[in-house]
Amino acid sequence: MLRAAVAGHLATAALTAGAAALTGRSAGHWLAGFFLPSTVFRPVGPYSAQLRGRLSTLLKDVGFPRDDVLELRSLVDMADAGGKVLEEKAEEQYQALAEIRRAIDDLAEPSAR
């Protein structure tokens, strides 16, 4: 796109210079001289807009800290909390099992006498 815009400006400047040479008017040379700086300045606007659009798209994808890192941290925190709950439940089950064994032992002792 940038190449087409620059080529169009250069072609316009060349045509204007050619028309000035054919007609012998000096205003055509000034006009051709005007088209040459516009070759640089005019395409810079659309190019800057396109670059700004690309950068804004990239900026949406990048954050600090990144969203995927935050999501991963929340998943790890949830897994850690789940592990703690399971440890508590296992401790409760061990205590219940110990009470059952004590009760069985208490029941078994009188029958052995």
Side-chain angles (χ1 to χ4, degrees):
M1 185 164 157
L2 179 63
R3 290 180 183 165
V6 170
H9 279 278
L10 291 176
T12 305
L15 286 173
T16 306
L22 287 176
T23 59
R25 305 221 174 195
S26 64
H29 294 290
W30 286 101
L31 191 59
F34 171 74
F35 279 124
L36 290 177
S38 71
T39 302
V40 175
F41 295 123
R42 192 162 177 225
V44 168
Y47 182 72
S48 297
Q50 181 186 14
L51 187 62
R52 189 178 321 119
R54 283 176 151 177
L55 289 176
S56 66
T57 302
L58 288 174
L59 187 61
K60 289 177 186 174
D61 294 341
V62 176
F64 184 80
R66 291 180 42 174
D67 293 335
D68 56 349
V69 173
L70 293 176
E71 182 180 351
L72 183 60
R73 283 184 181 172
S74 68
L75 289 174
V76 168
D77 290 341
M78 286 178 15
D80 190 36
K84 288 179 183 177
V85 168
L86 288 176
E87 286 176 0
E88 292 170 1
K89 294 290 184 183
E91 186 63 32
E92 290 175 11
Q93 294 299 318
Y94 288 139
Q95 290 174 359
L97 182 61
E99 289 177 17
I100 291 172
R101 283 186 180 167
R102 271 186 254 129
I104 291 175
D105 289 342
D106 289 342
L107 291 174
E109 284 181 16
S111 64
R113 292 183 189 169

